[in-house]
Amino acid sequence: MNCSNKYKILIVEDDTNIRSFIATMLEAAGYQALLADSCSSGLLMFSSYNPDLTILDLGLPDRDGLELLSEVRQKSASPIIILSARSDELDKVYALDHGANDYITKPFGSAELMARVRSALRNSLPRAEEGVLSGKFELDDLLIDYDARRFFMRGEEIKLTQTEYNIIALLSEHLGKVMTYSSIIKAVWGANDIGGTKKLQVNMANIRRKLGIKPGDNKYIVNELGVGYRMQSAE
Ligand code: CA
């Protein structure tokens, strides 16, 4: 493979073992790994190499990784996966609401990391103008006709309410990305909606039932507990 065709992935992580573990894995999978061990070196590497994806640790020796996230987001939409030892849901929610595409909690498995990397790169491919969804969306057995606002599973139409459709369309637009509860509520009902979380849970339960997804089964729609929902391939 020509080196210039490889995806460049920046790893910002101060733990030497984790950093080289990730780098080895990425290189074995054909990616080019760029390494930084602090927030400031990460920012420098980002401006010098303009990576296709960044894997970002939050607990860094000089500054909080969230600061790198907000600085990068001011000038770039390049995907960022948060890698954090923090299991605190608020950190994840904060990062996702401030432009992170995904997060992985330490300790993590190599298969999980690689799946998240592939998903983030796939979903960062150029897409149509945001705002107006048009055309068709297909994911395994699911098909959404954005123009007609109709939803199909294995060719059969599934009748959704306007709200249920809006939730599904929103998740499909951000395929692979965790959408926090508050970001979904804001998009579907508006910013100041009271009781939005409960309404979201009720609608999501109805959507799963209509799709024939059993409670607790993560097919198509994954509930990242305490954080939000992600649409992904049933695989
Ligand atoms: Ca760290």
Side-chain angles (χ1 to χ4, degrees):
M1 191 192 287
N2 185 328
C3 190
S4 61
N5 290 334
K6 288 186 179 180
Y7 280 116
K8 289 177 294 212
I9 302 182
L10 173 62
I11 308 161
V12 188
E13 165 64 81
D14 60 320
D15 184 309
T16 316
N17 291 329
I18 297 178
R19 198 171 60 235
S20 51
F21 169 69
I22 298 174
T24 306
M25 225 173 358
L26 292 176
E27 280 164 1
Y31 301 107
Q32 185 190 350
L34 307 165
L35 308 178
D37 59 5
S38 66
C39 196
S40 54
S41 67
L43 281 167
L44 199 62
M45 295 287 282
F46 192 93
S47 358
S48 314
Y49 293 95
N50 193 21
D52 299 293
L53 170 72
T54 301
I55 297 172
L56 174 65
D57 179 30
L58 291 183
L60 293 165
D62 53 346
R63 290 154 70 195
D64 196 297
L66 291 171
E67 292 185 36
L68 186 148
L69 172 69
S70 33
E71 281 199 30
V72 164
R73 272 294 165 267
Q74 284 168 26
K75 54 192 181 211
S76 167
S78 173
I80 297 178
I81 298 177
I82 300 292
L83 184 63
S84 173
R86 302 174 195 175
S87 53
D88 189 344
E89 285 155 5
L90 290 178
D91 282 331
K92 295 171 185 169
V93 170
Y94 183 92
L96 291 164
D97 280 343
H98 286 76
N101 296 66
D102 204 349
Y103 67 86
I104 299 173
T105 305
K106 296 172 187 171
F108 56 92
S110 52
E112 182 191 7
L113 176 70
M114 295 313 294
R116 300 290 179 92
V117 164
R118 286 193 302 272
S119 169
L121 288 171
R122 199 166 51 231
N123 298 320
S124 73
L125 296 176
R127 56 161 86 244
E129 281 287 300
E130 294 247 2
V132 184
L133 291 174
S134 63
K136 288 187 169 62
F137 167 89
E138 274 189 86
L139 178 69
D140 305 329
D141 290 339
L142 307 184
L143 187 144
I144 304 174
D145 183 337
Y146 290 133
D147 302 314
R149 293 177 59 87
R150 293 170 76 188
F151 182 81
F152 301 85
M153 192 172 189
R154 291 184 212 96
E156 297 276 316
E157 180 164 17
I158 301 205
K159 292 284 184 191
L160 299 177
T161 65
Q162 290 297 317
T163 301
E164 290 162 4
Y165 175 85
N166 289 341
I167 294 170
I168 282 279
L170 181 72
L171 292 178
S172 71
E173 187 187 4
H174 300 275
L175 182 66
K177 182 184 189 304
V178 183
M179 300 293 292
T180 62
Y181 302 128
S182 64
S183 68
I184 300 173
I185 291 162
K186 194 173 161 191
V188 174
W189 288 285
N192 298 315
D193 196 76
I194 312 288
T197 307
K198 186 69 200 162
K199 281 199 274 188
L200 177 58
Q201 285 170 346
V202 169
N203 276 279
M204 201 56 93
N206 290 336
I207 291 171
R208 284 167 186 267
R209 186 175 44 76
K210 290 180 179 182
L211 267 60
I213 303 170
K214 294 185 207 83
D217 187 346
N218 274 333
K219 206 175 175 192
Y220 296 117
I221 298 165
V222 179
N223 185 4
E224 302 282 353
L225 286 176
V227 179
Y229 293 99
R230 168 214 306 277
M231 185 181 272
Q232 67 178 27
S233 168
E235 289 182 336

